[in-house]
Amino acid sequence: MIIAERKPLAEIVEMTRNHENILVLGCRGCVTVCSAGGEREVELLASLIRLGAKKEGRKITVQEGVLVRQCDKEYVDSLDSWKNGYDAIVSMACGVGVNFIANLRPSTMVYPGVNTTFFGGSQDQGVWTEQCAGCGNCVLHLTGGLCPVARCAKSLMNGPCGGSQNGKCEIHSEVDCIWQMIHDRLERLDRKEQMLEVAPIRDWRTAGHGGPRKTTRDDLTV
Amino acid sequence: MSDFTPTIRAFCCHYTSQQTCAEGPEGLKQDGFPENVSLFRVPCTGKLQVSTLLQAFEDEVDGVYVVGCPAESCHNVKGSQRAAKRVAAVKKALEELGVEPDRIAMYHMERGFHPEFIAAAQQMDKTITKLGPSPLKGEAA
């Protein structure tokens, strides 16, 4: 899922300072699962914005709403049926949601309520770790299913850097060296010889270095 | 500030407040429980959400505190630990708002410890009286 975390309140208050009627809009997708922008977090942010404005003696109306997803036109369109007016939206979806509202609502001001951080999974309750970099050219079949692009601090493609100690990364001592894990896993699976295969110089254009990416499925378009 | 009497909201669990509630309002008054503290009894403090605690500030109270079981021996295993985490989250939120984090506090105590329960209320009353009215009431602006 896409992981996000709420922006500092001061930043949100500052960006919305000139608005008197704000809609704090959550998303029931990834940000609900990672507890950054679901219904509960919308309730909290709305409360904090109201309290902050009251402290400054500003009058403000803060409404709360949640869409099924903010990354699909159909759901963003449901904003049309929003009965009460608003002069700005604070989206608590990932950056995709903010962009979609900006794309589809040319005259609506939209602000990000969260910082979108990475593609990750829930390692433990309340702990999420990065697992995929969305680089567009997956090599997991060569690395035992463990990603060196996302999980190596240097995104090395041909084994460890030599700086790891006791199986831990030299950049972040609490993080497992992913190349150590790849080695141990391939050995366990009796596929250690895969490590000898030299990965060629990587073409990073698929990773967004060639501009915004797009996927079109002809079988799905009408 | 001497004539200021704070409005304080206390959330306590069924177990820690058992004896206190048995006293009844008159008994509490006689024991020295501050009259400006409103008591909200919940089955377990782990049930309290951050939004419930923030709502108290939106309702213009000056201070909030939670009384739950000892962290390691909560009747519902981890309820009071959860409550403590949520109180800590509100403390952080108050700091973000530029408001004294001491306006909210967490107390852990054994069930039936009536004098300690009264003492917590008195201590909170003293702390909030010293801090003065909550800036979140918007009166300063």
Side-chain angles (χ1 to χ4, degrees):
Chain A
M1 75 186 112
I2 295 176
I3 310 295
E5 54 193 358
R6 178 171 63 76
K7 276 184 171 290
L9 184 63
E11 208 178 309
I12 297 171
V13 167
E14 202 47 48
M15 63 176 83
T16 57
R17 183 170 295 283
N18 298 323
H19 297 285
E20 291 180 348
N21 192 348
I22 295 170
L23 171 61
V24 178
L25 191 64
C27 174
R28 291 197 206 281
C30 309
V31 289
T32 288
V33 184
C34 71
S35 300
E39 197 163 358
R40 188 168 285 179
E41 291 73 33
V42 164
E43 192 182 8
L44 294 185
L45 181 60
S47 178
L48 291 172
I49 293 174
R50 276 193 295 268
L51 285 168
K54 204 168 182 185
K55 180 170 173 262
E56 293 178 0
R58 283 189 290 120
K59 284 203 187 320
I60 195 167
T61 304
V62 184
Q63 302 176 66
E64 301 166 25
V66 187
L67 299 185
V68 176
R69 284 196 295 275
Q70 291 189 27
C71 54
D72 269 314
K73 185 178 177 299
E74 291 81 354
Y75 297 118
V76 175
D77 282 348
S78 67
L79 281 173
D80 290 339
S81 58
W82 194 263
K83 296 279 183 284
N84 308 311
Y86 51 83
D87 51 28
I89 292 176
V90 174
S91 166
M92 296 197 77
C94 67
V96 179
V98 181
N99 272 271
F100 256 58
I101 292 172
N103 290 341
L104 298 166
R105 293 286 171 279
S107 50
T108 300
M109 197 60 224
V110 58
Y111 299 99
V114 301
N115 287 323
T116 306
T117 45
F118 53 82
F119 301 155
S122 178
Q123 178 188 300
D124 213 338
Q125 190 172 331
V127 181
W128 294 272
T129 51
E130 185 167 14
Q131 305 289 317
C132 171
C135 71
N137 188 6
C138 198
V139 295
L140 291 171
H141 57 299
L142 302 173
T143 58
L146 303 169
C147 181
V149 178
R151 299 174 68 184
C152 168
K154 302 167 188 178
S155 294
L156 295 181
M157 300 304 297
N158 280 295
C161 62
S164 62
Q165 288 187 7
N166 302 318
K168 297 292 181 184
C169 174
E170 71 168 348
I171 307 293
H172 304 290
S173 58
E174 76 285 3
V175 174
D176 292 322
C177 167
I178 197 66
W179 274 108
Q180 176 81 52
M181 289 175 71
I182 291 168
H183 171 271
D184 294 351
R185 183 165 159 78
L186 290 177
E187 186 175 49
R188 209 177 304 122
L189 296 169
D190 200 22
R191 288 169 177 260
K192 202 170 64 173
E193 70 283 357
Q194 277 184 214
M195 294 280 291
L196 298 173
E197 206 172 305
V198 177
I201 293 171
R202 197 173 161 85
D203 180 352
W204 288 100
R205 281 176 298 182
T206 57
H209 296 213
R213 293 167 282 177
K214 183 179 182 178
T215 296
T216 306
R217 285 266 307 269
D218 282 339
D219 56 325
L220 296 177
T221 56
V222 185
Chain B
M1 200 58 73
S2 57
D3 59 345
F4 167 64
T5 304
T7 311
I8 298 171
R9 192 171 288 182
F11 296 96
C12 51
C13 77
H14 177 78
Y15 303 97
T16 51
S17 61
Q18 228 162 10
Q19 192 181 340
T20 301
C21 291
E23 294 278 323
E26 275 310 306
L28 277 179
K29 197 176 167 185
Q30 279 173 17
D31 292 343
F33 191 86
E35 287 183 84
N36 52 324
V37 177
S38 323
L39 212 51
F40 288 78
R41 206 176 181 199
V42 291
C44 174
T45 52
K47 176 74 180 161
L48 290 169
Q49 294 296 331
V50 175
S51 54
T52 311
L53 302 173
L54 283 178
Q55 184 60 50
F57 287 104
E58 286 208 61
D59 293 342
E60 304 197 343
V61 302
D62 299 293
V64 177
Y65 71 96
V66 177
V67 187
C69 300
E72 298 306 324
S73 55
C74 176
H75 181 84
N76 293 311
V77 189
K78 289 190 173 178
S80 63
Q81 288 181 31
R82 290 200 171 93
K85 294 259 186 185
R86 287 164 194 162
V87 167
V90 175
K91 271 186 184 290
K92 200 175 160 196
L94 291 178
E95 277 177 347
E96 280 197 277
L97 288 163
V99 172
E100 307 91 343
D102 289 346
R103 288 192 181 274
I104 188 162
M106 177 78 204
Y107 293 89
H108 295 278
M109 58 185 73
E110 301 280 355
R111 68 174 69 182
F113 270 35
H114 187 56
E116 284 80 352
F117 194 91
I118 302 285
Q122 289 170 340
Q123 187 188 22
M124 202 61 195
D125 185 31
K126 200 173 158 189
T127 305
I128 304 300
T129 303
K130 201 172 167 187
L131 288 175
S134 166
L136 299 173
K137 289 176 170 177
E139 288 168 357

